[in-house]
Amino acid sequence: MREAAEYLLKKLKEKGADDVVIRSVKSEGVNIKFANNKVVKNGLEMMHGIGVFFTKDKKILATNFQDKDPKNLKKQIDNFVNSSMKFSSFLQPSKDYNGIANGNFKYKDVLETYDKKVESIDEVDYVQKGINTANSEKTNGIFEKNIEEGVLLTSNNVDKDLKGTYLYFSIRAFNKDGSGHSNTCSRMLSKLEIEKSSEEAAKIAKLSISPKEGDSGKYDIVFGTMPTIVFANQIAESCSPFSVEAGISFFADKINKKVTNIDFIDDGLKENGYNSTPCDDEGVPTQRTSLIKDGILKTYLHNSSTAKKYNTNSTGNAGLVEPHASNLIIEKGKCSEVNDLIKEVKKGLYVTNIWYTRYQNYLTGDFSTIPRDGCFVIKNGELKNSVKNIRISDNMLNILSNIVAISKEKKQLKSWEAHDPGFVPEILVKNVNVSKAKI
């Protein structure tokens, strides 16, 4: 990995590249899919991937390529450099590019990012444990394990070795016409909540049997952790200067303004955080950043280039093409568990999952999303029947300003609509608009 990265850096500089960032990563991955309570696919993949970012005369190129033949690695790199330089000559210079960080950084140790026990686990046994715990008519899902080693090199004296283990388990349980979904992710085997997540999915599936047609109207909604991580990703995406300048952020012109009633944090140093790392993609030390403090939007996510443009400091969130989040955290809870949130609701819904979250207007925050799996009526603080065929049609800024309580307990998860992981609670939102879904 190091040999490849050093050689590539050398060749790009010889060809006249100005700024260069190279991330060379070797990974061993296991991917197990299960359906109808049985393992249906068990895959092992070993890869050496090289991520490259370089500039020449403010022309930017970022790409990846795979080391397919170690014996011909230098030849592959030579061909890559020649073709990339030729391609970059057709690009236009970026007026907004302001360079990468200078190196010689000191990095903090990040706790619980590598677990040696992960190397020797029997992945099928863990999948079977989840299936057995759910004890449902049918379960579908996936188990992923990745072990990565890498090196980050830049033309500005960054040289950092990286190592990590990654675990992810997702399960959807079915009981007659009811379903429930839960997942868990972790860097440490002991903190991967397979049994807890399987129990949660099975419980929701059993409770959601025989759903009735839902009614449109205004509801107080308790959102479970699965919807909350999707909302957290929407917040993070709107905190990117790229989104602001592209006109797809509902946080444009909202710095130092009240936007919600919670604290929203990005923490690249979080213990056992799925995206925790000592440095970002250009080598800047990661940190804990309060994006929203006491409900006030304090900053966007920044790399070195956007930070210079906005006359501020990097938040350690490069993404070289655009800044991105690390581990998202929602804080300022006042309730101990979801039952306390439900007890506060006289007329409302408990939404355990959502999908197809789409915007009618990114800039204003107008969006819709569809409840999936268990969705329940709340009357006078108690769960009643499950409902189906409804759509949440509201505005993201309205959702944020109407958060009135969150649970103290948080769960680390991500999902197919929430690529950035986070530690999120369940939340209570007042006056959410619900419409009938078209079938």
Side-chain angles (χ1 to χ4, degrees):
M1 291 178 297
R2 177 170 289 279
E3 178 184 1
E6 289 177 345
Y7 184 73
L8 178 55
L9 176 62
K10 175 186 174 183
K11 298 302 291 185
L12 285 170
K13 292 300 291 184
E14 287 177 353
K15 290 289 186 177
D18 299 315
D19 295 329
V20 182
V21 179
I22 298 169
R23 189 182 184 107
S24 181
V25 177
K26 191 175 183 179
S27 67
E28 176 185 320
V30 174
N31 185 309
I32 298 178
K33 293 182 179 180
F34 58 98
N36 299 320
N37 296 337
K38 294 181 180 180
V39 172
V40 295
K41 182 180 179 181
N42 188 346
L44 173 65
E45 186 175 44
M46 301 186 71
M47 289 193 309
H48 177 198
I50 303 177
V52 188
F53 171 95
F54 73 85
T55 66
K56 189 176 188 311
D57 302 324
K58 284 204 169 188
K59 298 176 181 180
I60 301 172
L61 190 144
T63 188
N64 296 275
F65 72 94
Q66 301 296 323
D67 170 14
K68 297 180 180 179
D69 185 357
K71 295 180 181 179
N72 296 318
L73 182 59
K74 287 188 176 181
K75 183 177 180 181
Q76 291 179 55
I77 290 175
D78 288 340
N79 291 337
F80 170 79
V81 170
N82 290 332
S83 61
S84 296
M85 279 293 176
K86 183 177 180 179
F87 179 79
S88 68
S89 66
F90 296 102
L91 301 176
Q92 295 296 316
S94 171
K95 297 178 181 179
D96 293 328
Y97 179 70
N98 296 296
I100 59 175
N102 290 317
N104 301 316
F105 294 111
K106 292 184 178 180
Y107 298 108
K108 295 180 180 179
D109 292 330
V110 187
L111 300 178
E112 298 189 344
T113 57
Y114 188 86
D115 187 351
K116 190 169 180 60
K117 294 179 181 178
V118 172
E119 297 177 4
S120 57
I121 66 171
D122 186 330
E123 297 85 4
V124 175
D125 279 353
Y126 282 89
V127 169
Q128 197 62 53
K129 184 186 295 185
I131 294 171
N132 294 342
T133 300
N135 192 27
S136 298
E137 292 180 357
K138 182 173 71 172
T139 57
N140 299 338
I142 190 169
F143 179 94
E144 296 176 347
K145 180 188 88 171
N146 279 287
I147 301 172
E148 292 186 357
E149 291 185 77
V151 59
L152 179 70
L153 297 180
T154 80
S155 54
N156 283 5
N157 302 312
V158 170
D159 185 335
K160 181 63 178 173
D161 291 317
L162 302 167
K163 191 175 184 179
T165 51
Y166 304 85
L167 297 162
Y168 172 73
F169 176 77
S170 176
I171 183 168
R172 195 162 182 236
F174 297 85
N175 197 321
K176 297 181 181 178
D177 56 354
S179 64
H181 188 191
S182 183
N183 70 44
T184 175
C185 59
S186 176
R187 307 290 288 274
M188 309 299 291
L189 184 61
S190 63
K191 294 186 177 181
L192 188 70
E193 299 178 332
I194 287 181
E195 290 173 294
K196 184 177 180 180
S197 296
S198 299
E199 289 173 354
E200 182 180 36
K203 181 180 178 181
I204 294 169
K206 290 177 181 178
L207 289 174
S208 62
I209 292 173
S210 301
K212 298 179 181 179
E213 291 289 324
D215 295 322
S216 59
K218 291 282 188 178
Y219 291 88
D220 296 344
I221 298 182
V222 176
F223 289 103
T225 53
M226 294 286 284
T228 301
I229 190 61
V230 175
F231 291 156
N233 271 247
Q234 302 302 312
I235 296 171
E237 288 177 16
S238 273
C239 283
S240 166
F242 178 86
S243 297
V244 172
E245 294 173 8
I248 56 173
S249 169
F250 48 78
F251 282 153
D253 301 320
K254 293 291 192 299
I255 293 292
N256 293 324
K257 293 181 180 179
K258 182 90 170 179
V259 293
T260 186
N261 302 307
I262 60 171
D263 285 354
F264 189 75
I265 295 157
D266 180 81
D267 192 348
L269 299 171
K270 177 71 174 176
E271 178 180 318
N272 188 45
Y274 199 78
N275 273 356
S276 290
T277 178
C279 62
D280 68 11
D281 287 351
E282 61 175 299
V284 174
T286 53
Q287 63 183 34
R288 180 180 170 91
T289 303
S290 290
L291 298 170
I292 299 174
K293 178 67 174 175
D294 295 327
I296 298 173
L297 181 65
K298 293 294 186 180
T299 184
Y300 298 133
L301 298 166
H302 286 291
N303 57 25
S304 293
S305 184
T306 63
K308 288 178 181 178
K309 182 176 180 179
Y310 282 76
N311 195 28
T312 186
N313 297 318
S314 171
T315 57
N317 288 100
L320 294 161
V321 176
E322 64 170 303
H324 62 76
S326 300
N327 304 294
L328 305 172
I329 303 171
I330 293 176
E331 293 191 342
K332 288 193 86 170
K334 75 170 190 176
C335 295
S336 59
E337 56 183 79
V338 66
N339 288 338
D340 292 327
L341 296 179
I342 292 171
K343 287 175 183 177
E344 292 194 14
V345 178
K346 290 185 178 181
K347 176 193 173 185
L349 298 171
Y350 177 38
V351 177
T352 65
N353 197 12
I354 57 176
W355 65 343
Y356 291 112
T357 303
R358 302 291 184 266
Y359 283 84
Q360 289 75 52
N361 189 318
Y362 284 93
L363 188 59
T364 62
D366 296 332
F367 79 101
S368 68
T369 190
I370 301 174
R372 188 190 194 199
D373 303 308
C375 179
F376 306 94
V377 170
I378 304 174
K379 287 185 178 179
N380 297 321
E382 294 183 356
L383 288 184
K384 300 296 182 181
N385 60 282
S386 61
V387 294
K388 63 181 180 178
N389 295 332
I390 59 172
R391 180 187 297 272
I392 295 169
S393 303
D394 212 296
N395 177 279
M396 196 60 68
L397 290 172
N398 288 343
I399 295 290
L400 291 173
S401 62
N402 285 324
I403 297 174
V404 295
I406 71 174
S407 64
K408 288 184 179 178
E409 183 179 356
K410 300 179 184 68
K411 182 179 181 181
Q412 180 175 205
L413 73 163
K414 62 189 185 81
S415 73
W416 70 285
E417 277 205 348
H419 300 295
D420 293 324
F423 294 79
V424 295
E426 303 195 273
I427 62 175
L428 171 56
V429 184
K430 295 283 188 179
N431 299 319
V432 180
N433 188 62
V434 172
S435 59
K436 295 277 289 184
K438 294 181 180 180
I439 303 175

